[in-house]
Amino acid sequence: MGKALWPERLSRSLITLRKGNRRGELGHDQKGGSNPFAFLCLLGLLTAASYSQVAPATQHDISPQLAIRLRDQIANGSVEAKRSALFEIRNLRSPSASRLALPALRDSDPIVRSTAAASVVFLPKSEASTALIPLLNDKMEFVRSESAYALGDVHDRVASSPLVRLMQNDKVLEVRTAAAISLGKIGDVSAIESLLAILKTQPREDDEFLRRSAARSVGQIAQISVTGNPDVLTPQNFLPEKFKDLGSSAATGGVPQGFSAAVDMLTSVLRNKNESDDTRREAAFSLGAIGDKRSIPVLQTYLSGQDPYLAEICKEALLKIERLNKAARATD
């Protein structure tokens, strides 16, 4: 499976582990000590995988007995007992369960706070954002990172400005990347300029995942404005056109407005051989999501290239551009 298909947290975790030890000693820094952030990234990855294996509860309320037990674990349990309760709350996927996790956001242990961030995302948007935004200033980097990811899952545009500030100013690259990813999930067009500012800088190996995430988020915002769908998979598949679900463009009647500067920047990224393969792939996806006909020539250039993932993404992008512009003509 190509890198373009990796889940966001898998890529982030592996890059963090690689950076944490350039000598190849898993979970240790360059001086030989433990690297807790790398360990927690890997632990978070394994936890995220466990979420996908547990069926969500269909009920919106939980029993009083269960609520009492979970509340007691969070208030009086060990760190592992608290985290176990928070995982259980997450899997319940209900506002009433998520509300039980709120006190854990103020726990003295940063591991508990970071775990709690993912457990409150099923609250109403405004309530979840109010609880999570203060954690973007937490002294521990992995708490800030997990809180940023959680805000992306909440999809509340109130969080856009705090996430932009985090992306611009945080000293930790992984935290900035988390903010960039979540801005794409939220879909607020006001974040486009800040995301493009990342791509205007010269690419470096250290900021590869940040650049990839910024390129992807620009297209994700465009996609949300057209279809309302925040989900992105690049490429969607390698099947014939009739098996590709590229989304309906009828929701807004065609090409989203206000992305002209993004088209120019993303075209430059796609053409730049110094960019990582994944960043160029995400730039191609985003050009398709925006749907500007100016992107057609550059996308056609890579249809028969050596990178099969980029070629398939360009194919999908051209199909999206055709569909978006057909919808735009229909509304004229």
Side-chain angles (χ1 to χ4, degrees):
M1 182 175 292
K3 288 172 65 180
L5 295 175
W6 290 2
E8 292 161 354
R9 292 199 181 193
L10 175 57
S11 298
R12 174 176 65 89
S13 299
L14 294 180
I15 287 174
T16 300
L17 289 170
R18 181 188 67 189
K19 290 179 60 183
N21 178 12
R22 298 186 184 277
R23 297 183 302 178
E25 298 174 354
L26 184 64
H28 289 76
D29 61 22
Q30 297 180 33
K31 296 181 180 179
S34 62
N35 186 338
F37 186 56
F39 171 75
L40 284 165
C41 283
L42 184 57
L43 186 61
L45 171 64
L46 297 175
T47 299
S50 71
Y51 292 156
S52 65
Q53 298 171 4
V54 180
T58 57
Q59 61 194 38
H60 293 289
D61 295 311
I62 59 176
S63 69
Q65 295 83 359
L66 178 58
I68 291 171
R69 177 175 64 78
L70 292 172
R71 189 180 292 113
D72 181 68
Q73 276 185 248
I74 291 173
N76 304 310
S78 65
V79 169
E80 285 308 308
K82 292 177 181 180
R83 295 181 70 240
S84 178
L86 291 167
F87 294 153
E88 190 171 350
I89 287 170
R90 166 81 180 191
N91 290 331
L92 287 169
R93 295 173 176 260
S94 78
S96 56
S98 284
R99 203 161 281 118
L100 297 174
L102 288 173
L105 295 174
R106 301 183 295 274
D107 196 271
S108 60
D109 192 297
I111 297 179
V112 174
R113 297 199 300 274
S114 64
T115 305
S119 299
V120 301
V121 298
F122 299 103
L123 290 168
K125 287 184 178 182
S126 59
E127 190 174 351
S129 295
T130 299
L132 288 167
I133 288 173
L135 289 182
L136 298 180
N137 298 313
D138 196 277
K139 63 182 180 180
M140 299 301 295
E141 60 196 58
F142 58 88
V143 177
R144 300 196 301 275
S145 179
E146 291 305 315
S147 299
Y149 278 115
L151 284 166
D153 292 335
V154 172
H155 303 293
D156 187 0
R157 295 193 177 191
V158 169
S160 294
S161 293
L163 285 169
V164 165
R165 289 193 295 271
L166 189 71
M167 182 180 69
Q168 292 173 332
N169 301 322
D170 202 279
K171 296 180 180 179
V172 180
L173 189 60
E174 287 77 11
V175 177
R176 297 178 61 206
T177 301
I181 290 172
S182 289
L183 286 168
K185 291 182 177 181
I186 291 172
D188 192 340
V189 177
S190 68
I192 292 292
E193 184 176 354
S194 299
L195 291 164
L196 293 178
I198 292 173
L199 298 175
K200 289 178 181 178
T201 62
Q202 292 298 315
R204 304 189 311 271
E205 181 182 359
D206 285 349
D207 67 359
E208 172 185 329
F209 194 45
L210 173 62
R211 296 179 67 83
R212 170 195 171 181
S213 301
R216 177 193 186 97
S217 288
V218 171
Q220 197 170 18
I221 291 170
Q223 177 178 289
I224 290 171
S225 70
V226 173
T227 69
N229 178 18
D231 297 329
V232 174
L233 184 63
T234 53
Q236 185 183 90
N237 58 53
F238 285 85
L239 299 174
E241 177 182 343
K242 64 180 180 178
F243 296 110
K244 291 182 181 293
D245 180 11
L246 301 179
S248 170
S249 60
T252 61
V255 180
Q257 301 299 310
F259 285 83
S260 179
V263 171
D264 295 335
M265 189 71 252
L266 292 165
T267 300
S268 177
V269 169
L270 179 55
R271 287 175 170 159
N272 189 351
K273 297 298 179 62
N274 293 323
E275 293 281 3
S276 71
D277 290 343
D278 276 335
T279 303
R280 296 175 69 214
R281 293 166 184 168
E282 299 297 356
F285 152 74
S286 292
L287 288 171
I290 293 169
D292 194 311
K293 289 185 289 186
R294 290 182 297 152
S295 304
I296 292 175
V298 68
L299 290 167
Q300 289 175 333
T301 301
Y302 298 100
L303 286 176
S304 57
Q306 294 182 346
D307 182 347
Y309 293 98
L310 179 58
E312 195 67 24
I313 292 167
C314 288
K315 176 182 176 181
E316 293 177 356
L318 289 166
L319 291 171
K320 290 177 184 178
I321 291 173
E322 179 183 3
R323 182 176 300 182
L324 286 167
N325 282 277
K326 184 181 294 184
R329 290 192 297 270
T331 59
D332 289 344

